[in-house]
Amino acid sequence: MTATVVLGLAWGDEGKGRVCDALASDVGYVSRYSGGNNAGHTVRVGEEEFKLHLVPSGIVREGVICTIGNGVVVNPEVLVEEVRALEERGLDVRDRLKVDGRAHLIMPYHIALDSHREIALGNARIGTTNRGIGPTYEDKVARYGIRVQDIFDEGILKTKLKAALREKNAIFENVYGEEHYEVSELASWLLSFKEFIEPMVADTGTMLRDALENRERVLLEGGQATLLDNDHGTYPFVTSSNPTVGGAVVGSGIPARHLEYVVGVTKAYTTRVGDGPMPTELFDETGEIIRSVGREYGTTTGRARRVGWLDLPAIKWAASLNGITHVAITLLDVLSAVDEIKICVGYEIDGKAVEGYPMHQTDLHHARPVYKTVPGWGEDITWCRMRGDLPEAAQDFVAFVEAEVGTPVCMISVGPERDQAIVERIGI
Ligand code: GDP
Ligand code: IMO
Ligand code: MG
Protein backbone atom coordinates (compact mmCIF):
# COMPACT_ATOMS: atom_id res chain seq x y z
CA MET A 1 0.00 0.00 0.00
CA THR A 2 1.31 3.48 0.74
CA ALA A 3 3.80 5.14 2.98
CA THR A 4 3.36 8.50 4.67
CA VAL A 5 6.37 10.57 5.68
CA VAL A 6 6.11 12.93 8.65
CA LEU A 7 8.92 15.45 8.67
CA GLY A 8 9.80 18.79 10.20
CA LEU A 9 9.69 21.95 8.08
CA ALA A 10 11.91 24.07 10.32
CA TRP A 11 14.77 23.40 12.79
CA GLY A 12 13.32 20.47 14.68
CA ASP A 13 10.97 19.93 17.64
CA GLU A 14 7.93 20.83 15.57
CA GLY A 15 5.90 18.11 17.28
CA LYS A 16 6.63 15.30 14.82
CA GLY A 17 6.27 12.72 17.59
CA ARG A 18 2.74 13.72 18.47
CA VAL A 19 1.72 14.06 14.81
CA CYS A 20 3.07 10.54 14.15
CA ASP A 21 1.20 9.31 17.18
CA ALA A 22 -2.05 10.72 15.79
CA LEU A 23 -1.47 9.20 12.36
CA ALA A 24 -0.31 5.87 13.85
CA SER A 25 -3.79 5.00 15.05
CA ASP A 26 -4.35 2.86 11.98
CA VAL A 27 -0.96 1.98 10.52
CA GLY A 28 0.92 -1.29 10.72
CA TYR A 29 4.44 0.12 10.86
CA VAL A 30 6.25 3.23 12.08
CA SER A 31 9.88 3.66 11.07
CA ARG A 32 12.66 6.12 11.92
CA TYR A 33 14.89 6.75 8.91
CA SER A 34 17.50 9.34 9.91
CA GLY A 35 19.43 10.81 12.80
CA GLY A 36 19.83 9.12 16.12
CA ASN A 37 19.35 10.04 19.75
CA ASN A 38 19.86 13.71 18.91
CA ALA A 39 16.09 13.48 18.38
CA GLY A 40 13.63 13.79 21.22
CA HIS A 41 10.01 13.12 20.28
CA THR A 42 7.28 13.63 22.84
CA VAL A 43 3.98 11.79 22.98
CA ARG A 44 1.52 12.55 25.76
CA VAL A 45 -1.34 10.23 26.51
CA GLY A 46 -3.35 11.52 29.44
CA GLU A 47 -0.94 11.96 32.33
CA GLU A 48 1.69 9.73 30.71
CA GLU A 49 4.50 11.49 28.83
CA PHE A 50 6.88 9.49 26.61
CA LYS A 51 10.10 11.11 25.44
CA LEU A 52 11.46 8.98 22.64
CA HIS A 53 14.96 9.34 21.27
CA LEU A 54 15.58 6.26 19.13
CA VAL A 55 12.46 4.16 19.37
CA PRO A 56 9.77 5.33 16.91
CA SER A 57 6.71 7.04 18.38
CA GLY A 58 4.51 4.22 17.08
CA ILE A 59 5.63 2.13 20.03
CA VAL A 60 3.05 3.94 22.16
CA ARG A 61 0.27 2.53 19.93
CA GLU A 62 -0.61 -1.06 20.71
CA GLY A 63 0.27 -3.58 18.01
CA VAL A 64 2.24 -1.19 15.78
CA ILE A 65 5.54 -2.65 14.52
CA CYS A 66 8.39 -0.16 14.82
CA THR A 67 11.64 -0.16 12.88
CA ILE A 68 14.89 1.72 13.22
CA GLY A 69 16.07 1.96 9.63
CA ASN A 70 19.48 1.65 8.01
CA GLY A 71 19.77 5.47 7.85
CA VAL A 72 19.67 5.86 11.63
CA VAL A 73 22.78 5.96 13.81
CA VAL A 74 22.37 3.89 16.95
CA ASN A 75 24.06 4.29 20.30
CA PRO A 76 23.66 0.72 21.59
CA GLU A 77 23.71 1.77 25.24
CA VAL A 78 20.95 4.34 24.65
CA LEU A 79 18.91 1.80 22.70
CA VAL A 80 19.06 -0.75 25.49
CA GLU A 81 18.25 1.85 28.16
CA GLU A 82 15.35 3.28 26.19
CA VAL A 83 13.83 -0.14 25.47
CA ARG A 84 14.19 -1.17 29.13
CA ALA A 85 12.66 2.08 30.37
CA LEU A 86 9.67 1.73 28.04
CA GLU A 87 9.17 -1.88 29.05
CA GLU A 88 9.25 -0.87 32.70
CA ARG A 89 6.36 1.44 31.88
CA GLY A 90 4.38 -1.51 30.57
CA LEU A 91 4.93 -1.34 26.80
CA ASP A 92 5.79 -4.51 24.91
CA VAL A 93 8.79 -3.21 23.02
CA ARG A 94 11.00 -6.13 22.11
CA ASP A 95 8.14 -7.99 20.42
CA ARG A 96 7.50 -5.01 18.18
CA LEU A 97 10.82 -3.24 17.61
CA LYS A 98 13.27 -4.16 14.86
CA VAL A 99 16.65 -2.55 14.19
CA ASP A 100 18.30 -2.73 10.79
CA GLY A 101 21.60 -4.59 10.69
CA ARG A 102 22.98 -1.93 8.35
CA ALA A 103 22.47 0.93 10.81
CA HIS A 104 25.75 2.42 12.05
CA LEU A 105 26.74 2.40 15.69
CA ILE A 106 27.66 5.49 17.67
CA MET A 107 30.87 4.70 19.53
CA PRO A 108 32.31 6.47 22.58
CA TYR A 109 35.02 7.99 20.39
CA HIS A 110 32.38 9.61 18.20
CA ILE A 111 30.88 11.35 21.22
CA ALA A 112 34.32 12.44 22.42
CA LEU A 113 35.13 13.85 18.97
CA ASP A 114 31.80 15.68 18.80
CA SER A 115 32.55 17.44 22.05
CA HIS A 116 36.24 18.19 21.27
CA ARG A 117 35.26 19.73 17.94
CA GLU A 118 32.59 21.93 19.46
CA ILE A 119 35.01 23.26 22.05
CA ALA A 120 37.65 23.85 19.38
CA LEU A 121 35.15 25.79 17.23
CA GLY A 122 34.51 28.25 20.07
CA ASN A 123 32.07 30.94 18.95
CA ALA A 124 31.67 29.25 15.57
CA ARG A 125 30.30 26.11 17.23
CA ILE A 126 27.30 24.34 15.75
CA GLY A 127 25.64 23.75 19.08
CA THR A 128 25.31 20.01 18.50
CA THR A 129 23.48 17.75 20.89
CA ASN A 130 26.86 16.17 21.68
CA ARG A 131 25.55 12.68 20.96
CA GLY A 132 28.30 11.78 18.46
CA ILE A 133 25.97 12.08 15.48
CA GLY A 134 28.28 13.96 13.07
CA PRO A 135 31.41 11.83 13.65
CA THR A 136 29.37 8.61 13.24
CA TYR A 137 27.98 9.70 9.86
CA GLU A 138 31.48 10.80 8.83
CA ASP A 139 32.79 7.29 9.47
CA LYS A 140 29.86 5.80 7.58
CA VAL A 141 30.72 7.87 4.51
CA ALA A 142 34.45 7.21 4.98
CA ARG A 143 33.60 3.48 5.00
CA TYR A 144 35.06 2.60 8.32
CA GLY A 145 31.95 2.75 10.40
CA ILE A 146 30.88 -0.07 12.71
CA ARG A 147 27.42 -1.41 11.93
CA VAL A 148 24.86 -3.20 14.07
CA GLN A 149 25.53 -6.46 12.20
CA ASP A 150 29.23 -6.27 13.11
CA ILE A 151 28.53 -7.22 16.72
CA PHE A 152 27.70 -10.77 15.61
CA ASP A 153 31.28 -11.71 14.77
CA GLU A 154 33.94 -10.79 17.29
CA GLY A 155 36.76 -11.33 14.78
CA ILE A 156 35.25 -9.02 12.16
CA LEU A 157 34.33 -6.51 14.85
CA LYS A 158 37.89 -6.28 16.13
CA THR A 159 39.34 -5.97 12.62
CA LYS A 160 36.94 -3.12 11.88
CA LEU A 161 37.59 -1.40 15.18
CA LYS A 162 41.32 -1.59 14.57
CA ALA A 163 40.91 0.05 11.16
CA ALA A 164 38.61 2.72 12.59
CA LEU A 165 40.95 3.53 15.46
CA ARG A 166 44.12 3.89 13.40
CA GLU A 167 43.41 7.50 12.50
CA LYS A 168 41.11 8.23 15.42
CA ASN A 169 43.73 7.47 18.03
CA ALA A 170 46.24 9.65 16.21
CA ILE A 171 43.73 12.50 16.33
CA PHE A 172 42.95 12.00 20.01
CA GLU A 173 46.62 11.86 20.98
CA ASN A 174 48.05 14.53 18.68
CA VAL A 175 45.24 17.03 18.24
CA TYR A 176 43.37 16.79 21.51
CA GLY A 177 46.09 15.39 23.77
CA GLU A 178 43.84 12.66 25.07
CA GLU A 179 44.15 8.95 25.91
CA HIS A 180 43.67 6.62 23.00
CA TYR A 181 40.98 3.96 22.69
CA GLU A 182 41.66 0.20 22.92
CA VAL A 183 40.16 -2.24 20.46
CA SER A 184 39.59 -4.91 23.11
CA GLU A 185 37.80 -2.55 25.50
CA LEU A 186 35.51 -1.21 22.81
CA ALA A 187 34.80 -4.72 21.53
CA SER A 188 33.82 -5.91 25.03
CA TRP A 189 31.64 -2.84 25.48
CA LEU A 190 29.80 -3.55 22.23
CA LEU A 191 29.54 -7.29 22.85
CA SER A 192 27.92 -6.60 26.22
CA PHE A 193 24.81 -5.44 24.29
CA LYS A 194 24.76 -8.37 21.87
CA GLU A 195 22.38 -10.63 23.75
CA PHE A 196 19.84 -7.85 24.24
CA ILE A 197 20.01 -6.44 20.73
CA GLU A 198 20.43 -9.59 18.62
CA PRO A 199 16.77 -10.71 18.61
CA MET A 200 15.72 -7.26 17.42
CA VAL A 201 18.06 -7.13 14.42
CA ALA A 202 16.40 -7.48 11.04
CA ASP A 203 16.51 -6.37 7.44
CA THR A 204 13.96 -3.65 8.09
CA GLY A 205 13.92 -2.38 4.50
CA THR A 206 12.77 -5.79 3.27
CA MET A 207 10.24 -5.94 6.11
CA LEU A 208 8.75 -2.60 5.09
CA ARG A 209 8.70 -3.45 1.39
CA ASP A 210 6.96 -6.74 2.12
CA ALA A 211 4.48 -4.93 4.34
CA LEU A 212 3.73 -2.40 1.61
CA GLU A 213 3.24 -5.16 -0.95
CA ASN A 214 0.83 -6.76 1.54
CA ARG A 215 -1.21 -3.56 1.59
CA GLU A 216 -0.05 -2.44 5.04
CA ARG A 217 0.25 1.27 5.84
CA VAL A 218 3.69 2.51 6.80
CA LEU A 219 4.54 5.76 8.56
CA LEU A 220 8.07 7.13 8.21
CA GLU A 221 8.96 9.33 11.18
CA GLY A 222 11.52 12.00 10.47
CA GLY A 223 14.07 13.06 13.06
CA GLN A 224 15.47 16.63 12.99
CA ALA A 225 14.03 18.73 10.17
CA THR A 226 14.46 20.33 6.77
CA LEU A 227 16.51 23.37 7.84
CA LEU A 228 18.90 21.01 9.66
CA ASP A 229 19.38 18.83 6.57
CA ASN A 230 23.04 18.38 5.69
CA ASP A 231 22.46 19.26 2.03
CA HIS A 232 19.56 21.68 2.17
CA GLY A 233 19.69 23.25 5.62
CA THR A 234 21.53 26.23 7.07
CA TYR A 235 24.95 24.62 6.54
CA PRO A 236 27.23 24.34 8.48
CA PHE A 237 24.67 24.79 11.28
CA VAL A 238 22.97 21.53 10.43
CA THR A 239 22.98 17.89 11.41
CA SER A 240 24.89 15.25 9.44
CA SER A 241 21.99 13.35 7.91
CA ASN A 242 19.16 14.02 5.45
CA PRO A 243 15.89 14.41 7.36
CA THR A 244 14.19 15.57 4.12
CA VAL A 245 12.00 13.35 1.96
CA GLY A 246 14.87 11.83 -0.02
CA GLY A 247 16.43 10.68 3.22
CA ALA A 248 13.23 8.81 4.01
CA VAL A 249 13.67 6.66 0.91
CA VAL A 250 17.37 5.98 1.44
CA GLY A 251 17.19 5.65 5.20
CA SER A 252 14.30 3.21 5.30
CA GLY A 253 14.98 1.18 2.18
CA ILE A 254 11.63 1.58 0.51
CA PRO A 255 11.10 2.71 -3.09
CA ALA A 256 9.98 6.30 -3.70
CA ARG A 257 6.89 5.10 -5.57
CA HIS A 258 5.39 3.99 -2.26
CA LEU A 259 5.48 7.48 -0.76
CA GLU A 260 2.00 8.85 -1.22
CA TYR A 261 1.68 11.45 1.49
CA VAL A 262 4.25 13.77 2.96
CA VAL A 263 3.14 15.65 6.05
CA GLY A 264 5.23 18.73 6.83
CA VAL A 265 5.03 19.78 10.47
CA THR A 266 5.46 23.35 11.65
CA LYS A 267 4.80 25.08 14.91
CA ALA A 268 2.55 28.14 14.76
CA TYR A 269 5.80 30.01 15.48
CA THR A 270 9.45 29.02 15.11
CA THR A 271 12.04 27.55 17.44
CA ARG A 272 15.64 26.57 17.08
CA VAL A 273 17.99 24.90 19.51
CA GLY A 274 21.66 25.22 18.71
CA ASP A 275 23.50 27.90 16.77
CA GLY A 276 23.06 29.34 13.29
CA PRO A 277 20.88 31.93 11.61
CA MET A 278 17.27 32.41 12.62
CA PRO A 279 15.85 35.56 11.01
CA THR A 280 12.66 35.79 13.09
CA GLU A 281 14.28 35.20 16.48
CA LEU A 282 12.74 37.24 19.30
CA PHE A 283 14.85 38.70 22.07
CA ASP A 284 12.05 40.54 23.81
CA GLU A 285 9.34 39.85 26.33
CA THR A 286 7.08 38.25 23.71
CA GLY A 287 9.82 35.71 23.06
CA GLU A 288 10.00 35.00 26.78
CA ILE A 289 6.24 34.52 26.97
CA ILE A 290 6.22 32.08 24.05
CA ARG A 291 9.19 30.16 25.51
CA SER A 292 7.56 29.88 28.87
CA VAL A 293 4.00 29.04 27.70
CA GLY A 294 5.29 26.62 25.04
CA ARG A 295 7.72 25.07 27.52
CA GLU A 296 10.43 25.54 24.93
CA TYR A 297 13.24 23.59 26.49
CA GLY A 298 14.95 20.83 24.50
CA THR A 299 13.57 17.30 24.88
CA THR A 300 17.06 15.84 24.47
CA THR A 301 19.44 18.34 26.01
CA GLY A 302 17.16 20.51 28.14
CA ARG A 303 18.61 23.64 26.50
CA ALA A 304 16.33 26.68 26.23
CA ARG A 305 15.08 26.86 22.65
CA ARG A 306 15.42 30.08 20.69
CA VAL A 307 11.98 31.38 19.85
CA GLY A 308 10.70 33.51 16.96
CA TRP A 309 7.69 34.25 14.79
CA LEU A 310 6.57 31.87 12.08
CA ASP A 311 9.01 32.13 9.17
CA LEU A 312 6.87 31.56 6.08
CA PRO A 313 9.56 31.96 3.40
CA ALA A 314 11.49 29.15 5.11
CA ILE A 315 8.40 26.98 5.62
CA LYS A 316 7.20 27.46 2.04
CA TRP A 317 10.63 26.59 0.72
CA ALA A 318 10.78 23.49 2.93
CA ALA A 319 7.27 22.50 1.81
CA SER A 320 8.31 22.74 -1.81
CA LEU A 321 11.61 20.91 -1.28
CA ASN A 322 9.84 17.96 0.32
CA GLY A 323 6.82 18.03 -1.97
CA ILE A 324 4.54 17.95 1.03
CA THR A 325 0.95 16.93 0.46
CA HIS A 326 -0.30 18.16 3.85
CA VAL A 327 0.77 20.51 6.59
CA ALA A 328 0.33 20.03 10.32
CA ILE A 329 0.34 23.15 12.51
CA THR A 330 1.31 22.51 16.10
CA LEU A 331 1.29 24.44 19.38
CA LEU A 332 -1.36 26.88 18.14
CA ASP A 333 -2.57 27.20 21.75
CA VAL A 334 0.71 28.87 22.73
CA LEU A 335 -0.19 31.92 20.63
CA SER A 336 -3.25 32.46 22.83
CA ALA A 337 -0.78 34.12 25.21
CA VAL A 338 0.12 37.00 22.88
CA ASP A 339 -2.10 39.92 21.88
CA GLU A 340 -0.78 40.50 18.43
CA ILE A 341 0.80 37.89 16.17
CA LYS A 342 3.43 38.45 13.53
CA ILE A 343 4.06 36.23 10.54
CA CYS A 344 7.19 36.68 8.48
CA VAL A 345 6.11 36.89 4.84
CA GLY A 346 9.40 37.87 3.24
CA TYR A 347 12.94 39.04 3.89
CA GLU A 348 14.92 42.16 3.24
CA ILE A 349 18.59 41.58 2.70
CA ASP A 350 20.92 44.58 2.79
CA GLY A 351 17.90 46.85 2.39
CA LYS A 352 16.46 45.03 -0.62
CA ALA A 353 13.34 42.87 -0.66
CA VAL A 354 14.16 39.36 -1.82
CA GLU A 355 11.99 36.72 -3.44
CA GLY A 356 11.80 33.32 -1.80
CA TYR A 357 14.38 31.74 0.46
CA PRO A 358 18.04 32.70 -0.02
CA MET A 359 20.56 30.06 -1.05
CA HIS A 360 23.54 31.82 0.49
CA GLN A 361 24.13 31.14 4.15
CA THR A 362 25.56 34.63 4.69
CA ASP A 363 22.37 36.21 3.32
CA LEU A 364 20.36 34.43 5.98
CA HIS A 365 22.51 35.99 8.68
CA HIS A 366 21.60 39.44 7.33
CA ALA A 367 17.98 38.70 6.44
CA ARG A 368 15.52 41.05 8.11
CA PRO A 369 12.02 39.68 8.30
CA VAL A 370 9.12 41.53 6.72
CA TYR A 371 6.11 40.92 8.93
CA LYS A 372 2.39 40.77 8.46
CA THR A 373 0.69 41.52 11.76
CA VAL A 374 -2.55 39.75 12.56
CA PRO A 375 -4.79 39.97 15.61
CA GLY A 376 -4.40 37.43 18.37
CA TRP A 377 -7.38 35.62 19.88
CA GLY A 378 -6.39 35.81 23.53
CA GLU A 379 -8.52 32.92 24.71
CA ASP A 380 -8.09 29.28 25.61
CA ILE A 381 -8.33 27.02 22.57
CA THR A 382 -7.14 23.76 24.12
CA TRP A 383 -10.71 22.42 24.12
CA CYS A 384 -11.23 22.92 20.37
CA ARG A 385 -11.64 19.72 18.35
CA MET A 386 -12.92 21.14 15.07
CA ARG A 387 -11.72 24.10 13.07
CA GLY A 388 -15.07 25.75 13.58
CA ASP A 389 -14.49 25.65 17.36
CA LEU A 390 -11.51 28.00 17.01
CA PRO A 391 -12.00 31.74 17.49
CA GLU A 392 -12.24 33.57 14.19
CA ALA A 393 -8.76 35.08 14.48
CA ALA A 394 -7.25 31.61 15.00
CA GLN A 395 -9.21 30.23 12.02
CA ASP A 396 -7.91 33.11 9.92
CA PHE A 397 -4.34 32.41 11.06
CA VAL A 398 -4.65 28.75 10.02
CA ALA A 399 -6.33 29.64 6.72
CA PHE A 400 -3.57 32.14 5.93
CA VAL A 401 -0.80 29.58 6.57
CA GLU A 402 -2.70 26.96 4.59
CA ALA A 403 -3.12 29.29 1.62
CA GLU A 404 0.51 30.44 1.71
CA VAL A 405 1.93 26.92 1.98
CA GLY A 406 -0.51 25.76 -0.64
CA THR A 407 -1.38 22.34 0.80
CA PRO A 408 -4.26 21.35 3.06
CA VAL A 409 -3.83 21.37 6.82
CA CYS A 410 -4.35 17.83 8.13
CA MET A 411 -3.87 18.54 11.82
CA ILE A 412 -3.86 21.51 14.16
CA SER A 413 -2.65 20.78 17.65
CA VAL A 414 -3.97 22.85 20.52
CA GLY A 415 -2.25 21.21 23.48
CA PRO A 416 0.37 18.53 24.14
CA GLU A 417 -2.02 15.69 24.89
CA ARG A 418 -3.02 13.15 22.26
CA ASP A 419 -6.64 14.36 22.25
CA GLN A 420 -5.81 18.06 22.11
CA ALA A 421 -5.89 18.29 18.35
CA ILE A 422 -8.07 19.05 15.39
CA VAL A 423 -7.44 16.22 12.99
CA GLU A 424 -8.59 16.46 9.38
CA ARG A 425 -7.11 13.32 7.86
CA ILE A 426 -8.09 14.01 4.24
CA GLY A 427 -7.31 10.54 3.01
CA ILE A 428 -4.05 10.00 4.90
P1 GDP B 1 9.52 16.62 17.89
O1 GDP B 1 10.97 16.48 18.12
O2 GDP B 1 9.23 17.25 16.56
O3 GDP B 1 8.75 15.34 18.05
O4 GDP B 1 8.96 17.63 19.00
P2 GDP B 1 9.35 17.64 20.57
O5 GDP B 1 8.61 16.56 21.25
O6 GDP B 1 10.82 17.70 20.75
O7 GDP B 1 8.83 19.07 20.99
C1 GDP B 1 7.50 19.40 20.94
C2 GDP B 1 7.06 19.85 22.35
O8 GDP B 1 5.83 20.50 22.26
C3 GDP B 1 6.83 18.68 23.29
O9 GDP B 1 7.16 19.09 24.60
C4 GDP B 1 5.34 18.41 23.16
O10 GDP B 1 4.77 17.80 24.31
C5 GDP B 1 4.84 19.81 23.01
N1 GDP B 1 3.62 19.92 22.19
C6 GDP B 1 3.32 19.24 21.06
N2 GDP B 1 2.17 19.70 20.55
C7 GDP B 1 1.74 20.68 21.37
C8 GDP B 1 0.63 21.57 21.35
O11 GDP B 1 -0.21 21.55 20.48
N3 GDP B 1 0.55 22.48 22.36
C9 GDP B 1 1.47 22.55 23.35
N4 GDP B 1 1.31 23.48 24.28
N5 GDP B 1 2.53 21.74 23.40
C10 GDP B 1 2.67 20.83 22.42
P1 IMO C 1 14.07 16.34 16.78
O1 IMO C 1 13.94 15.06 16.00
C1 IMO C 1 16.07 20.14 17.38
C2 IMO C 1 20.27 20.36 16.13
C3 IMO C 1 21.27 20.61 17.23
C4 IMO C 1 22.30 21.39 16.45
C5 IMO C 1 22.33 20.67 15.11
C6 IMO C 1 23.41 19.61 14.97
O2 IMO C 1 13.72 16.20 18.22
O3 IMO C 1 13.35 17.46 16.09
P2 IMO C 1 23.69 17.17 15.98
O4 IMO C 1 23.76 16.69 17.37
O5 IMO C 1 22.59 16.57 15.17
O6 IMO C 1 25.02 17.07 15.25
O7 IMO C 1 23.39 18.75 16.10
O8 IMO C 1 21.06 20.06 14.99
N1 IMO C 1 19.37 19.19 16.35
C7 IMO C 1 18.09 19.30 16.72
N2 IMO C 1 17.36 20.38 17.07
N3 IMO C 1 15.51 18.94 17.33
C8 IMO C 1 16.21 17.85 16.96
O9 IMO C 1 15.65 16.64 16.78
C9 IMO C 1 17.58 18.00 16.68
N4 IMO C 1 18.57 17.15 16.31
C10 IMO C 1 19.65 17.89 16.10
O10 IMO C 1 20.71 21.36 18.27
O11 IMO C 1 21.85 22.70 16.22
MG1 MG D 1 12.41 17.05 19.54
Side-chain angles (χ1 to χ4, degrees), residues 320-393:
S320 143
L321 175 68
N322 291 295
I324 68 167
T325 57
H326 298 80
V327 63
I329 302 174
T330 54
L331 292 104
L332 187 65
D333 55 300
V334 175
L335 293 187
S336 298
V338 294
D339 299 334
E340 206 172 55
I341 297 166
K342 289 187 179 168
I343 306 171
C344 170
V345 291
Y347 302 131
E348 262 181 18
I349 296 170
D350 300 329
K352 287 199 195 96
V354 291
E355 284 278 316
Y357 190 66
M359 184 185 79
H360 290 289
Q361 165 75 15
T362 41
D363 283 347
L364 265 181
H365 285 280
H366 304 156
R368 289 195 40 198
V370 176
Y371 286 120
K372 173 185 166 77
T373 303
V374 297
W377 43 91
E379 60 184 275
D380 176 36
I381 58 166
T382 56
W383 60 274
C384 299
R385 296 295 174 268
M386 293 197 304
R387 252 203 238 207
D389 293 340
L390 292 170
E392 209 175 302

Side-chain angles (χ1 to χ4, degrees), residues 155-177:
I156 292 178
L157 178 64
K158 285 187 167 161
T159 308
K160 291 195 172 182
L161 279 171
K162 199 171 161 199
L165 285 180
R166 197 177 303 123
E167 287 175 7
K168 287 279 176 320
N169 275 339
I171 293 172
F172 282 114
E173 285 169 9
N174 299 318
V175 180
Y176 298 115

Side-chain angles (χ1 to χ4, degrees), residues 316 324-325 401-408:
K316 285 163 74 169
I324 68 167
T325 57
V401 175
E402 189 168 44
E404 284 287 311
V405 174
T407 57

